[in-house]
Amino acid sequence: AQRVTQPEKLLSVFKGAPVELKCNYSYSGSPELFWYVQYSRQRLQLLLRHISRESIKGFTADLNKGETSFHLKKPFAQEEDSAMYYCALSEGGSTLGRLYFGRGTQLTVWP
Amino acid sequence: DAGVIQSPRHEVTEMGQEVTLRCKPISGHNSLFWYRQTMMRGLELLIYFNNNVPIDDSGMPEDRFSAKMPNASFSTLKIQPSEPRDSAVYFCASSIGGVGKRNEKLFFGSGTQLSVL
């Protein structure tokens, strides 16, 4: 069963516009959610994690347990934000400790 | 630390040939993951090792795929025989987490671009 769903494969916005990358999850326990990013010709890397409640490169993401969502938002997109974004969920406790990734959203920010 | 090191960066082979992908995790990390990235399916977990022991290989697509981790600093992913549908980018990642713990931050290698003709 797909534990992490990213409904948009492609998303395009103009520079300066707000952007929201959607992520929904399915997990009965207490998940930890993450956003990973892959810029062109770079390694896939951690962008932010919900437990840190941090803002990285202007991006924020709030865990909404009622809606089982962890959408990534930025009020003013920049061209350098163009990348592939993956939402990920980590299980813990007695489970295997693996990390589940969504299928990714390719964000393009036009000048 | 140079991070997770994968080799080769690119591999082009003919259908039916054996392919071996290699990975050196970050020193001190005890979890290692092999992922496959395609346009259609995104990032799929193939197999996960913890302390050199395979924990979850449910993502390995077929018996043609096998993975080993003979020691803490080296892992291989082998495809024999390879098929055109195996063409993808294969990533190796490592982390400090493990069984019973959350894998919070994965460090990814640069990937191996595999093309099977």
Side-chain angles (χ1 to χ4, degrees), chain A:
Chain A
Q2 185 73 21
R3 284 175 171 74
V4 180
T5 304
Q6 293 180 250
E8 303 142 327
K9 287 188 70 174
L10 303 170
L11 182 62
S12 295
V13 300
F14 284 102
K15 176 183 174 182
V19 63
E20 180 180 67
L21 290 87
K22 292 184 168 51
C23 172
N24 289 92
Y25 66 89
S26 174
Y27 182 58
S28 58
S30 294
E32 282 201 27
L33 277 298
F34 309 85
W35 278 98
Y36 278 76
V37 61
Q38 187 177 24
Y39 300 103
S40 179
R41 298 191 180 88
Q42 294 189 27
R43 300 183 184 204
L44 189 62
Q45 57 188 287
L46 179 66
L47 178 63
L48 58 79
R49 64 189 85 180
H50 94 268
I51 197 170
S52 302
R53 297 185 178 276
E54 56 201 346
S55 174
I56 303 294
K57 298 184 179 182
F59 284 98
T60 59
D62 292 319
L63 179 61
N64 186 324
K65 293 186 177 181
E67 296 182 358
T68 60
S69 68
F70 188 58
H71 303 327
L72 183 68
K73 301 176 184 179
K74 184 169 183 177
F76 307 103
Q78 303 299 314
E79 290 177 67
E80 55 266 29
D81 296 327
S82 296
M84 189 72 166
Y85 291 81
Y86 288 96
C87 182
L89 176 152
S90 177
E91 302 172 337
S94 62
T95 57
L96 299 176
R98 56 178 288 175
L99 198 65
Y100 295 90
F101 283 86
R103 295 183 180 178
T105 298
Q106 177 68 49
L107 173 66
T108 301
V109 181
W110 300 103

Side-chain angles (χ1 to χ4, degrees), chain B residues 8-79:
Chain B
R9 288 296 303 273
H10 303 276
E11 177 78 36
V12 181
T13 190
E14 292 185 344
M15 182 174 64
Q17 296 298 308
E18 177 180 295
V19 175
T20 300
L21 311 181
R22 297 173 177 79
C23 175
K24 181 180 186 307
I26 292 174
S27 177
H29 284 190
N30 56 15
S31 289
L32 183 140
F33 305 80
W34 281 100
Y35 284 91
R36 179 171 65 178
Q37 183 186 46
T38 60
M39 285 293 292
M40 291 299 294
R41 296 179 177 165
L43 210 55
E44 302 174 276
L45 178 65
L46 300 177
I47 188 169
Y48 156 38
F49 291 88
N50 181 244
N51 292 326
N52 312 337
V53 176
I55 302 299
D56 182 4
D57 65 354
S58 59
M60 296 287 261
E62 305 171 28
D63 291 345
R64 298 185 296 106
F65 285 71
S66 62
K68 294 181 180 179
M69 192 164 186
N71 57 62
S73 59
F74 184 64
S75 176
T76 59
L77 177 67
K78 186 177 293 186
I79 308 173

